[in-house]
Amino acid sequence: MTLPEEALEAIRDRIPARRVYTDDISTLAYGTDASFYRLIPKVVVRVEQESEVVHLLGIARRYQVPLTFRAAGTSLSGQAISDSILVLLGDHWQGYDIRHNGRQIRLQPGVIGAQANAWLAPYGYKIGPDPASINSCKIGGIVANNASGMCCGTAQNSYQTIRHMRLVLADGSVLDTEDPAGVQAFRARHAELLARLNQLARETRADTTLRQTIEHKYRLKNTTGLSLNALVDFDDPLDILVHLMIGSEGTLGFVSAATYDTVPDPAHKATALIIFPDVETCCRAASDLRKQPVDAVELLDRRSLRSVESKPGMPDWIRDVSDSACALLVETRASSPDSLEERLDKTREALAAFPVEQSADFTTDRARSEQLWAIRKGTFPAVGAARPVGTTVIIEDITFPLDRLAEGVMRLQTLFEKHGYHDAIIFGHALEGNLHFVFPQGFDDSAEVARYEGFMQEVSHLVAREFGGSLKAEHGTGRNMAPFVALEWGEQAWNLMWSIKGLLDPDHILNPDVVLSRDPQIHLKNLKPMPAADPLVDRCIECGFCEPVCPSQGLTLSPRQRIVVWRDIQDRRAAGEDTRKLEHAFHYRGIDTCAATGLCAQRCPVDINTGDLVRQIRAQNARGHTGAQWLADHFAGILTTTRLSLKLATATETLLGAPIVHRFSQRAHQLSGKRLPVSSLAMPQPVRFIPSPTAPRTTKPRVVYLPACVSRVMGPSRSDAEQEPLIDKTRQLLEKGGFEVIIPEGLDSLCCGQPFASKGYPDQARQKREQLIATLLRATGDGRDPVYCDTSPCTLQLQDAAREARIRLYDPVRFIHEYLLDRLAIEPEDTPIAVHATCSTQHLGEASGLIDIARRCSNNVVVPEGIHCCGFAGDKGFTTPELNEHALRTLPAQVQGCREGISTSRTCEIGLSGHSGLDYHSIVYLLDRVSQPLTHHP
């Protein structure tokens, strides 16, 4: 595919250059989605408003070049990639409007599904679709794929629950079905189009065989091809048009807003895992459960159970079930405990008719329920993690009629053995007969491609022809199943789909070869290479689940994209190519702008921490080992020098003002080739740290207080209403709680090692960590007394070493919860408080604890949405300030009206304060202000 230079110029005439990408790294990075296909776009365009979409459609028509829309890129069938113009959603597509007390919500396509549900949760509602990728995928993709999930079935998917839509057709026309005047105008301007749709609908309904085929297909879960049910279900051609857009995967137009009728989200739930002796019994039980008040029934074959049986928290008996066993994970939900019990009684009664090999009975305990769901959710990642290096993971998505589900499962298992897929597993949504099967697949030689093709041909004939099922139930047709649409639907329905495509996209510019293709081999072309790059990341399946929590996503590269580019570099190196130019570009975009905080690992289904790879590359590139060792050996002097630098900066700010100093430092930063740091608008003042003499031991409980080096150096900013250093405020709070506070000796020469580890000097990091642990052992009497560390990143850095040394190490949140709350009388304020849980607080599992403390102290707590990592990353707020700025770009609007912000890391607080206009400081300040000591400590 070629893109005329004139087309590129036309794009740049309207779209700012910073949102138009043609460089090798960007086009490679965005040439990847969660599927096993890759196309490299000629240009990637980030759009921020609907008029830009209309403009791009005009260019595509004028120059006859294809165009593909992309939301989160979590689709599995190759529908979000392009070798022409790839259109990305920017930041300004995240609007929402909750209506009718939560019973309806209007959403723009850039909203992440889980965020929509978070907005609706206080009302007791959620959107109907619940795909497994809901924490990452966006409304645009959910609508375009008609995605469903574990609970929504066919009754609550987008097709059934969207009430209104705003859309843009290929000709640039805009229709908003909520706007009566706009609807009237659209009817007038597009009378011929609507008449033709109406004619197609009448002809379809009049053809008994075709109509019955459509009705049969949509009694099942089905996303194969276009949504022909729209021609049968609706009379008004506008309704037909809206519902044709759902599941069309960007081949008919662009959805710029969708209004959902929401569904109840019951507060009370119970979950069970039942192991049946064989597949047939399991499937008969699933069929009976369809008549019962259950909300989710997930099937897992024996191989699925085996893939997760060694994971933490799994029941021991899973290892011992028979080889023929098959399981159902069953969940039922209700609005009250009594109603839940009634539903459980009916469900248990139905299950009593079937022999059971093992079971974990229904539980309402949330932690236990999550363990049971972890069995189901862990199956796909387990295969992904265990696959051979260089292979990808195939996850297919089919539907059998429920009354033939057992036969379908066993026939699939036979095909696995025939084609040598001995590690393939089957799981799925049993109430709908919807199965996923997962297996590793290599595409690096023709024999492997031929094996895959032979297998898929047999699966397609089995599902579509023999069983009358669906080849795609909820993942979308994409490129993967486009050659098989005619096989499943028959020539007449297939030709009808092409008629619809020609009517709405006559130039065939929208996502060609997706959903509909005349190339019978399209599913075997443009297969994605997965070369070995590094054991730290070779397990990556490029799903994109990591991206929403990455602070550099949208600025440079996401974790997924870092791995994609690094794989390409390693593959080129192995082929003997010169990669210096590519590596030079990657250094800034992949290494320098990575915060390396590891939040990506929390979202990664195969537990990859891309930050580990970045730190390893930094270590390999590090050239200052001698200097790093000198710094480690003279750490106290470094802290003294830093205090002097802060003293000078404070004096300069006092003289010139913070804004002038900030602008001057920005200019110096640019002129120095980004070697000089940028001064923050919330620059800390220096702390004069004077260790207190050791007091005689008292009868009070003792706590060893470890003030982090940043707390010993950096005090509040000049603008902060709280001017007392954190060390003094923390001591005051601990003593208020009745503790004798011990500060270890010789602290100024000590450090947790985090600054060295993040820069690629692991030996020096280990040296400083071991020195500090030895000091803490002495201070605590070999672990007798607890240690309070006032900075969460340092706590995280030390926790493993402290655990090995049997030191009880606490971050502020956990110590306050376990030791202080019961010793303090708290009088909450009414003033609004903004809360930021740092990356380390999240890793420590204390984010909800921090918010809980804040809510005890204030009746008005604001937790900004979508800010998972502030991007300050130790010192990057000074050295790479654009990362901090990008990560916090939505913060100011979200904290308007707040009085102050709280967190647990001084460096993070500097960036948060500078970009929000609020004074951020430790939670300790707030808790101390609103609390008094109890007369009698527990």
Side-chain angles (χ1 to χ4, degrees):
M1 176 67 215
T2 58
L3 184 69
E5 186 62 31
E6 294 85 353
L8 190 56
E9 290 175 2
I11 291 171
R12 288 175 171 151
D13 283 344
R14 174 64 187 272
I15 313 295
R18 68 180 182 278
R19 293 195 272 116
V20 179
Y21 313 98
T22 57
D23 62 281
D24 290 344
I25 282 187
S26 296
T27 53
L28 171 64
Y30 287 111
T32 291
D33 66 357
S35 73
F36 51 93
Y37 299 99
R38 174 181 291 167
L39 289 172
I40 306 300
K42 299 299 182 297
V43 60
V44 180
V45 186
R46 192 180 299 274
V47 293
E48 297 290 0
Q49 51 191 313
E50 188 179 76
S51 60
E52 293 177 346
V53 173
V54 173
H55 177 70
L56 291 174
L57 286 168
I59 292 170
R61 291 194 311 276
R62 189 184 323 148
Y63 296 100
Q64 290 295 292
V65 290
L67 178 149
T68 295
F69 301 112
R70 174 167 171 158
T74 56
S75 298
L76 294 164
S77 302
Q79 56 265 63
I81 56 176
S82 171
D83 61 356
S84 182
I85 303 173
L86 183 64
V87 182
L88 307 179
L89 295 178
D91 289 339
H92 295 95
W93 295 93
Q94 300 181 44
Y96 71 100
D97 179 21
I98 296 174
R99 303 165 178 176
H100 310 309
N101 205 29
R103 290 188 295 277
Q104 194 175 85
I105 187 170
R106 185 168 173 90
L107 296 163
Q108 286 191 300
V111 173
I112 292 175
Q115 182 61 68
N117 286 340
W119 290 326
L120 290 165
Y123 302 91
Y125 290 90
K126 64 185 183 70
I127 59 172
D130 61 340
S133 58
I134 196 164
N135 289 327
S136 306
C137 66
K138 297 178 179 179
I139 294 301
I142 290 173
V143 174
N145 291 310
N146 196 22
S148 47
M150 299 179 190
C151 300
C152 94
T154 56
Q156 297 180 349
N157 59 21
S158 293
Y159 182 90
Q160 298 293 348
T161 58
I162 283 181
R163 176 65 63 93
H164 290 287
M165 183 183 290
R166 184 178 176 93
L167 58 91
V168 183
L169 293 179
D171 65 1
S173 301
V174 177
L175 167 66
D176 188 340
T177 63
E178 286 191 351
D179 175 14
V183 166
Q184 185 177 0
F186 186 90
R187 288 186 189 277
R189 287 195 308 268
H190 292 80
E192 185 178 345
L193 167 68
L194 297 178
R196 180 68 181 128
L197 280 177
N198 198 28
Q199 180 185 354
L200 290 175
R202 288 198 310 269
E203 291 171 355
T204 300
R205 290 193 291 268
D207 188 321
T208 303
T209 301
L210 179 58
R211 187 188 73 246
Q212 289 177 346
T213 297
I214 293 170
E215 289 170 345
H216 165 73
K217 283 294 180 185
Y218 290 104
R219 278 192 288 268
L220 307 174
K221 243 188 181 184
N222 180 24
T223 60
T224 308
L226 297 176
S227 299
L228 294 184
N229 45 340
L231 300 175
V232 173
D233 294 341
F234 299 97
D235 296 319
D236 188 328
L238 277 187
D239 288 330
I240 294 172
L241 174 60
V242 165
H243 288 82
L244 282 171
M245 294 290 292
I246 299 169
S248 65
E249 302 174 33
T251 64
L252 301 181
F254 175 79
V255 177
S256 54
T259 302
Y260 277 92
D261 289 331
T262 59
V263 300
D265 186 17
H268 302 275
K269 304 174 184 181
T271 313
L273 179 69
I274 303 106
I275 312 291
F276 299 92
D278 52 58
V279 169
E280 185 174 356
T281 304
C282 185
C283 292
R284 284 194 294 110
S287 182
D288 270 23
L289 285 173
R290 188 175 174 87
K291 308 166 193 171
Q292 306 306 322
V294 294
D295 293 273
V297 178
E298 295 293 297
L299 180 146
L300 301 100
D301 73 350
R302 181 64 183 96
R303 286 177 176 170
S304 292
L305 296 173
R306 190 173 291 119
S307 71
V308 295
E309 64 186 15
S310 299
K311 299 289 183 182
M314 297 298 114
D316 292 337
W317 46 259
I318 282 188
R319 295 180 178 86
D320 301 323
V321 300
S322 64
D323 289 342
S324 62
C326 192
L328 292 179
L329 180 69
V330 183
E331 184 164 285
T332 187
R333 304 172 180 179
S335 57
S336 69
D338 290 343
S339 176
L340 181 65
E341 205 53 49
E342 290 177 10
R343 294 166 73 94
L344 288 177
D345 287 343
K346 293 179 181 178
T347 304
R348 287 189 178 108
E349 183 179 350
L351 288 169
F354 299 94
V356 171
E357 194 170 301
Q358 274 286 4
S359 70
D361 197 15
F362 284 98
T363 178
T364 56
D365 179 76
R366 182 175 178 178
R368 183 63 187 134
S369 174
E370 288 177 353
Q371 281 187 331
L372 295 177
W373 273 106
I375 296 173
R376 160 62 178 85
K377 294 177 180 178
T379 50
F380 173 49
V383 174
R387 76 188 193 278
V389 174
T391 64
T392 190
V393 181
I394 305 293
I395 176 168
E396 290 297 350
D397 168 45
I398 60 173
T399 304
F400 288 118
L402 190 56
D403 58 356
R404 299 186 67 186
L405 183 59
E407 183 186 358
V409 171
M410 290 185 285
R411 291 285 298 278
L412 268 182
Q413 290 174 333
T414 300
L415 286 180
F416 292 153
E417 293 304 314
K418 176 181 177 180
H419 292 274
Y421 293 110
H422 306 298
D423 298 324
I425 65 172
I426 299 174
F427 57 86
H429 318 312
L431 288 179
E432 310 295 336
N434 174 198
L435 299 178
H436 304 304
F437 53 93
V438 181
F439 54 92
Q441 174 67 54
F443 290 120
D444 52 353
D445 65 62
S446 58
E448 278 295 289
V449 174
R451 177 169 75 125
Y452 172 72
E453 165 67 348
F455 174 68
M456 288 307 300
Q457 289 288 347
E458 290 206 51
V459 166
S460 299
H461 280 82
L462 173 73
V463 174
R465 289 295 177 86
E466 289 192 46
F467 282 76
S470 303
L471 291 172
K472 281 294 179 183
E474 57 184 6
H475 291 171
T477 307
R479 311 178 114 67
N480 187 18
M481 281 297 166
F484 302 98
V485 174
L487 173 73
E488 175 174 333
W489 276 96
E491 291 292 327
Q492 184 183 12
W494 189 60
N495 287 329
L496 176 58
M497 292 179 193
W498 276 109
S499 296
I500 294 168
K501 171 72 171 175
L503 184 63
L504 295 175
D505 178 22
D507 295 309
H508 294 272
I509 58 171
L510 296 178
N511 222 3
D513 285 324
V514 167
V515 180
L516 297 173
S517 178
R518 300 192 189 277
D519 183 348
Q521 298 294 304
I522 195 66
H523 63 305
L524 302 176
K525 295 177 179 178
N526 304 300
L527 299 170
K528 183 197 299 181
M530 299 286 275
D534 190 285
L536 289 172
V537 297
D538 282 340
R539 300 187 314 279
C540 177
I541 54 180
E542 300 182 5
C543 63
F545 287 8
C546 56
E547 293 187 338
V549 298
C550 177
S552 62
Q553 158 74 354
L555 173 69
T556 52
L557 297 174
S558 69
R560 164 167 66 174
Q561 292 170 335
R562 283 183 170 88
I563 293 172
V564 167
V565 176
W566 192 244
R567 278 175 165 162
D568 188 65
I569 289 172
Q570 299 310 303
D571 193 35
R572 291 173 183 271
R573 277 183 182 173
E577 293 184 33
D578 185 347
T579 60
R580 285 176 295 180
K581 182 179 178 182
L582 191 59
E583 289 186 65
H584 178 75
F586 181 71
H587 193 276
Y588 171 74
R589 300 179 66 178
I591 308 301
D592 289 350
T593 54
C594 178
T597 59
L599 280 188
C600 49
Q602 293 191 353
R603 294 292 187 94
C604 178
V606 291
D607 301 322
I608 290 172
N609 183 343
T610 310
D612 289 341
L613 174 67
V614 169
R615 281 187 292 271
Q616 176 177 283
I617 296 171
R618 286 175 183 165
Q620 292 168 352
N621 295 338
R623 297 293 181 265
H625 291 278
T626 301
Q629 188 60 55
W630 189 92
L631 292 175
D633 293 338
H634 300 83
F635 201 73
I638 298 304
L639 296 191
T640 300
T641 302
T642 305
R643 291 188 189 103
L644 290 172
S645 299
L646 290 175
K647 186 175 182 179
L648 177 61
T650 300
T652 306
E653 272 194 10
T654 303
L655 180 64
L656 301 176
I660 291 176
V661 174
H662 176 64
R663 288 196 296 271
F664 177 81
S665 68
Q666 285 180 315
R667 180 65 174 159
H669 178 70
Q670 294 298 328
L671 290 174
S672 67
K674 300 189 176 182
R675 293 183 181 88
L676 292 177
V678 173
S679 171
S680 170
L681 288 170
M683 203 68 181
Q685 301 172 96
V687 170
R688 189 165 175 240
F689 175 61
I690 303 176
S692 303
T694 302
R697 189 178 182 93
T698 67
T699 57
K700 295 179 181 179
R702 288 162 54 104
V703 59
V704 174
Y705 172 30
L706 171 61
C709 57
V710 69
S711 306
R712 305 193 303 268
V713 172
M714 297 181 177
S717 69
R718 290 175 60 249
S719 64
D720 199 332
E722 296 279 5
Q723 284 295 301
E724 193 170 0
L726 178 59
I727 294 175
D728 298 339
K729 185 64 71 173
T730 300
R731 176 190 284 275
Q732 181 178 312
L733 180 65
L734 293 172
E735 290 176 346
K736 182 189 291 188
F739 283 90
E740 178 186 340
V741 181
I742 308 299
I743 294 182
E745 297 179 356
L747 267 185
D748 250 9
S749 64
L750 298 175
C751 169
C752 69
Q754 174 67 19
F756 297 95
S758 66
K759 299 296 183 187
Y761 299 104
D763 294 339
Q764 289 75 23
R766 189 181 310 108
Q767 172 190 330
K768 301 309 292 181
R769 184 169 59 247
E770 290 173 353
Q771 289 173 355
L772 181 53
I773 290 295
T775 299
L776 291 177
L777 274 173
R778 290 192 297 271
T780 60
D782 288 329
R784 179 181 63 245
D785 301 320
V787 175
Y788 174 101
C789 180
D790 63 12
T791 301
S792 54
C794 302
T795 312
L796 182 65
Q797 176 73 8
L798 289 170
Q799 68 170 354
D800 291 340
R803 190 181 299 115
E804 290 177 9
R806 298 186 179 179
I807 295 173
R808 291 177 292 148
L809 178 68
Y810 293 84
D811 76 314
V813 176
R814 185 169 162 232
F815 190 90
I816 289 169
H817 267 284
E818 294 192 15
Y819 287 99
L820 288 183
L821 289 181
D822 291 341
R823 295 169 171 265
L824 300 172
I826 298 174
E827 186 66 33
E829 301 178 339
D830 290 326
T831 49
I833 304 294
V835 179
H836 176 73
T838 67
C839 302
S840 48
T841 301
Q842 296 174 62
H843 281 303
L844 292 166
E846 301 294 345
S848 59
L850 176 65
I851 296 168
D852 174 68
I853 296 170
R855 286 177 173 155
R856 290 171 185 252
C857 298
S858 171
N859 295 320
N860 192 346
V861 171
V862 174
V863 182
E865 300 162 356
I867 299 175
H868 304 274
C869 170
C870 72
F872 205 93
D875 66 352
K876 286 195 176 296
F878 300 128
T879 62
T880 316
E882 62 270 30
L883 177 62
N884 187 219
E885 180 182 5
H886 180 77
L888 299 180
R889 63 196 183 279
T890 64
L891 180 62
Q894 297 192 65
V895 297
Q896 287 182 0
C898 288
R899 167 178 164 176
E900 66 181 315
I902 62 166
S903 191
T904 55
S905 167
R906 185 68 193 98
T907 51
C908 296
E909 291 151 14
I910 294 169
L912 291 160
S913 300
H915 289 288
S916 68
L918 286 182
D919 294 325
Y920 273 81
H921 38 238
S922 172
I923 180 68
V924 166
Y925 288 91
L926 176 62
L927 180 58
D928 181 66
R929 190 169 68 239
V930 301
S931 67
Q932 296 296 328
L934 288 176
T935 305
H936 301 289
H937 292 138

